[in-house]
Amino acid sequence: MQPHIPDADVDPDEAFQLVFRELKRHEETGRRNFVVRVPVDLLEYLFSAILRKSGMSRVALERLLTELGVYGFKDADGRILRRYLSGHTRMAWSTYQRLMLWALSSDLISMWAFRDLAFRSYEREAAQLCARKIVNTLKRRTTLPELTKAQVVECFYEIYQLRQRERDEAAATRLRTDSGTRELVLSLDE
């Protein structure tokens, strides 16, 4: 059975590999519960893009994020960026995606970097959610089911599409209710 492939640049082999890597990472942690959080490599990519374009130091960026009250940075003791980049603290996907939008609207990353970061975050989040679903299914079974590649890919696409619909609905709501978001969208269309 061929899985339904959404309008995305993720081909079935890549989707399977993404999920497989997340399962492998989880296995290496030795944890029972699967943690769905932003991987350090994506955090490094976002923050290095911001630092490169802005010319700020890490300390200055951390202070700015704390002053602005960015979730995950407010009420921080001044070392949260270092903890995120070291992997000691894991960032939620929603916080990461808000940071990407903030960086774009503040002209701290280019549109190209934003698109690349957004796509990578969407596919990695879907892979983690799919891997967590698989891990949770396996925990409840007494015998190991044989998952086919097609089933893993189908799971990935199902979650990918669900998250995309949720993001689209949230964006539509923001456009209706937030004048700042409307201004950003209008400026991007120019």
Side-chain angles (χ1 to χ4, degrees), residues 101-185:
L101 285 169
W102 168 78
L104 177 66
S105 66
S106 302
D107 199 33
L108 295 175
I109 58 173
S110 68
M111 180 55 80
W112 180 89
F114 174 79
R115 286 180 181 148
D116 191 43
L117 283 163
F119 176 70
R120 288 179 190 218
S121 73
Y122 298 162
E123 67 180 13
R124 297 283 289 276
E125 181 185 23
Q128 284 184 358
L129 290 168
C130 180
R132 180 175 69 182
K133 185 175 180 178
I134 291 168
V135 166
N136 288 342
T137 300
L138 294 176
K139 279 195 285 188
R140 290 189 296 269
R141 299 220 174 135
T142 54
T143 61
L144 286 177
E146 293 199 20
L147 285 174
T148 65
K149 181 178 178 178
Q151 289 171 314
V152 171
V153 170
E154 186 71 34
C155 175
F156 174 87
Y157 287 135
E158 176 184 308
I159 291 171
Y160 189 93
Q161 289 175 316
L162 174 66
R163 292 294 296 135
Q164 189 58 46
R165 279 192 303 275
E166 290 170 355
R167 282 188 292 274
D168 290 347
E169 290 168 8
T173 300
R174 266 195 292 315
L175 280 173
R176 283 192 305 273
T177 61
D178 185 358
S179 61
T181 303
R182 278 194 302 274
E183 289 173 22
L184 172 64
V185 169

Side-chain angles (χ1 to χ4, degrees), residues 10-110:
V10 185
D11 68 43
D13 289 333
E14 185 179 359
F16 179 77
Q17 287 300 317
L18 285 165
V19 174
F20 181 78
R21 276 188 236 126
E22 293 301 334
L23 288 167
K24 193 78 173 140
R25 282 188 188 110
H26 171 68
E27 184 182 320
E28 290 168 357
T29 67
R31 295 177 57 110
R32 179 167 164 76
N33 296 323
F34 193 99
V35 178
V36 176
R37 292 288 187 259
V38 180
V40 173
D41 63 308
L42 285 180
L43 288 169
E44 289 171 346
Y45 182 7
L46 173 62
F47 288 122
S48 66
I50 291 172
L51 294 172
R52 193 171 32 255
K53 185 157 186 194
S54 70
M56 282 190 267
S57 69
R58 283 187 180 189
V59 172
L61 174 59
E62 193 162 54
R63 257 192 232 121
L64 176 62
L65 293 169
T66 302
E67 288 168 13
L68 292 171
V70 173
Y71 181 81
F73 286 87
K74 59 185 173 189
D75 303 324
D77 63 3
R79 293 186 300 266
I80 191 71
L81 183 59
R82 200 171 327 148
R83 288 198 306 264
Y84 279 137
L85 292 172
S86 70
H88 286 100
T89 301
R90 304 288 304 271
M91 184 179 286
W93 283 106
S94 57
T95 302
Y96 180 77
Q97 289 159 355
R98 281 193 304 271
L99 273 172
M100 287 183 339
L101 285 169
W102 168 78
L104 177 66
S105 66
S106 302
D107 199 33
L108 295 175
I109 58 173
S110 68

